[in-house]
Amino acid sequence: MTEIAISGKKVQYWRSNGQDQPLARSSVGSQSVSIKHAEGASVTLKARKDGQADYIWQGTNGQSSTVLMSRR
């Protein structure tokens, strides 16, 4: 499971399977959040009009995936 906590305009943490992930940088905008892992992978969350979000992950070797997420 992946957890990303955002407070105000700052990513507080990114956890994957219960482990905090080291962040190189992040940005929070009105419609998207971008996070760069210290080892190179990146995640982008993009808001959708239906209230959900697309979770787009890109690895360092060209791997990628997109998942539809709901807010808890």
Side-chain angles (χ1 to χ4, degrees), residues 14-46:
W14 171 12
R15 289 188 185 131
S16 181
N17 298 320
Q19 299 292 316
D20 285 346
Q21 300 300 304
L23 304 180
R25 64 181 174 273
S26 64
S27 64
V28 177
S30 63
Q31 297 296 311
S32 67
V33 175
S34 296
I35 303 169
K36 184 79 165 186
H37 190 280
E39 295 176 2
S42 63
V43 166
T44 303
L45 296 164
K46 292 185 179 180

Side-chain angles (χ1 to χ4, degrees), residues 5-72:
I6 301 163
S7 178
K9 293 262 183 198
K10 184 173 183 202
V11 174
Q12 299 297 315
Y13 61 81
W14 171 12
R15 289 188 185 131
S16 181
N17 298 320
Q19 299 292 316
D20 285 346
Q21 300 300 304
L23 304 180
R25 64 181 174 273
S26 64
S27 64
V28 177
S30 63
Q31 297 296 311
S32 67
V33 175
S34 296
I35 303 169
K36 184 79 165 186
H37 190 280
E39 295 176 2
S42 63
V43 166
T44 303
L45 296 164
K46 292 185 179 180
R48 296 167 45 112
K49 290 183 182 183
D50 63 4
Q52 298 187 74
D54 289 321
Y55 174 95
I56 303 157
W57 175 85
Q58 292 185 301
T60 57
N61 294 322
Q63 324 93 304
S64 65
S65 65
T66 302
V67 178
L68 178 64
M69 298 180 67
S70 297
R71 176 186 266 188
R72 286 201 281 161

